[in-house]
């Protein structure tokens, strides 16, 4: 079974801080994704990656960047956290045509 | 602009009865649709999918219906069980691609 692990369940950060959200998968999947989930807005795609050192913008990339130095690890970076980035962040993986496999999420609060 | 809409934020159904969750989309290029279920403190898990070449797909207690002319899909759960209580998201894409567009979710509560 695919395991997608997000390193933190809860994070509280201050406005202006640089924030790293980490995601690790154990099934050698090529594709990895970062979504955020907000009430009334559903899940929205921030960035995704098809391979090491490759990245593609999703629907809401502004204020975020990503890093994929190793196949199993995909990091989401908030360069300067703002209160409107308070959200639930979900990492997911995919191989070929299979459905997305999600991690359990990181709830980030920016104060 | 929300391309995938779930107009009912919540639904309450008695155990054993049918649950019907609805989803509408606006982009006529969407041809692949999925439903995900999400429990609190967990990530969404895949439930069932359908491509536009079909109008129905069934998996045990779960059936998805697609009405392309109306740009509408629905998820039927029969019979509903308390363990089905969760938030359900529909999602759509052009082809089975990586750029899924999710709806806003419907919270289903199944009571005894």
């Amino acid at each position: 079974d695919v395991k997608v692990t997000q390193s933190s369940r809860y994070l509280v950060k201050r406005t202006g801080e640089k924030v790293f959200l980490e995601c690790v998968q154990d099934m050698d999947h090529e594709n990895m994704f970062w979504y955020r989930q907000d009430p009334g807005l559903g899940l929205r795609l921030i960035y995704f990656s098809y391979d090491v050192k490759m990245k593609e913008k999703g629907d809401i990339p502004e204020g975020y960047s990503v890093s994929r130095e190793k196949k199993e690890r995909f990091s989401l970076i908030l360069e300067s956290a703002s209160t409107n980035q308070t959200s639930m962040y979900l990492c997911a993986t995919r191989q070929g045509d299979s459905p997305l496999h999600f991690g359990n999420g990181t709830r980030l609060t920016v104060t | 602009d929300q391309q995938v809409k779930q107009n009912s934020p919540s639904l309450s159904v008695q155990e054993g009865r049918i649950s019907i969750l609805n989803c509408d989309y606006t982009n006529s290029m969407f041809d692949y649709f999925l439903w995900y279920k999400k429990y609190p403190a967990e990530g969404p898990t895949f439930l069932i999918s359908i491509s536009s070449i079909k109008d129905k797909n069934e998996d045990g207690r779960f059936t998805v219906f697609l009405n392309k002319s109306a740009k509408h899909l629905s998820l039927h759960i029969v019979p509903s069980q308390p363990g089905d209580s969760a938030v359900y998201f529909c999602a759509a894409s052009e082809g089975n691609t990586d750029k899924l567009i999710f709806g806003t979710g419907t919270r289903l509560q199944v009571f005894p």
Side-chain angles (χ1 to χ4, degrees):
Chain A
D1 204 16
V2 178
K3 192 165 178 65
V4 181
T5 303
Q6 295 183 230
S7 55
S8 303
R9 294 301 300 270
Y10 300 95
L11 274 180
V12 179
K13 297 292 182 181
R14 293 184 183 271
T15 302
E17 276 192 79
K18 190 169 186 176
V19 181
F20 293 85
L21 302 183
E22 306 287 346
C23 176
V24 177
Q25 52 114 349
D26 67 354
M27 285 301 290
D28 205 37
H29 283 185
E30 299 289 338
N31 303 345
M32 296 188 74
F33 307 79
W34 277 105
Y35 286 86
R36 61 178 283 178
Q37 180 196 351
D38 300 288
L41 295 174
L43 279 72
R44 293 178 293 165
L45 181 62
I46 305 171
Y47 267 98
F48 59 108
S49 169
Y50 290 127
D51 202 350
V52 175
K53 297 194 186 295
M54 293 185 68
K55 62 182 179 183
E56 297 279 346
K57 291 181 180 179
D59 299 315
I60 51 163
E62 295 80 19
Y64 303 94
S65 62
V66 290
S67 172
R68 194 164 181 202
E69 296 296 320
K70 295 184 177 181
K71 189 175 185 179
E72 68 271 17
R73 186 179 297 269
F74 192 36
S75 303
L76 180 69
I77 304 157
L78 287 66
E79 296 290 342
S80 177
S82 64
T83 54
N84 63 13
Q85 292 178 309
T86 291
S87 186
M88 170 68 80
Y89 289 87
L90 292 159
C91 175
T93 71
R94 188 182 194 208
Q95 184 70 15
D97 292 340
S98 68
L100 292 170
H101 292 270
F102 284 90
N104 285 338
T106 296
R107 182 163 295 281
L108 172 67
T109 302
V110 182
T111 61
Chain B
D1 185 31
Q2 198 76 23
Q3 295 186 70
V4 179
K5 300 177 185 179
Q6 294 176 255
N7 291 319
S8 298
S10 63
L11 176 67
S12 191
V13 172
Q14 189 172 30
E15 182 178 5
R17 307 292 289 263
I18 184 170
S19 295
I20 300 176
L21 295 95
N22 293 304
C23 180
D24 296 294
Y25 61 96
T26 57
N27 187 340
S28 58
M29 299 299 292
F30 288 152
D31 58 3
Y32 187 70
F33 306 89
L34 308 92
W35 285 93
Y36 281 81
K37 178 168 78 171
K38 185 181 186 300
Y39 293 119
E42 294 184 14
T45 55
F46 169 73
L47 201 53
I48 193 168
S49 64
I50 189 167
S51 74
S52 60
I53 61 173
K54 302 172 96 174
D55 54 19
K56 176 183 173 181
N57 190 24
E58 196 170 349
D59 184 2
R61 296 185 298 113
F62 302 91
T63 303
V64 57
F65 295 92
L66 176 62
N67 182 334
K68 291 183 287 293
S69 60
K71 295 192 183 69
H72 177 83
L73 66 154
S74 60
L75 175 68
H76 292 212
I77 306 173
V78 184
S80 302
Q81 298 173 355
D84 296 328
S85 298
V87 177
Y88 290 79
F89 292 97
C90 66
S93 66
E94 295 181 36
N96 187 0
T97 66
D98 288 319
K99 291 202 77 173
L100 275 180
I101 306 297
F102 281 84
T104 52
T106 296
R107 182 177 301 278
L108 172 66
Q109 183 181 7
V110 180
F111 59 92

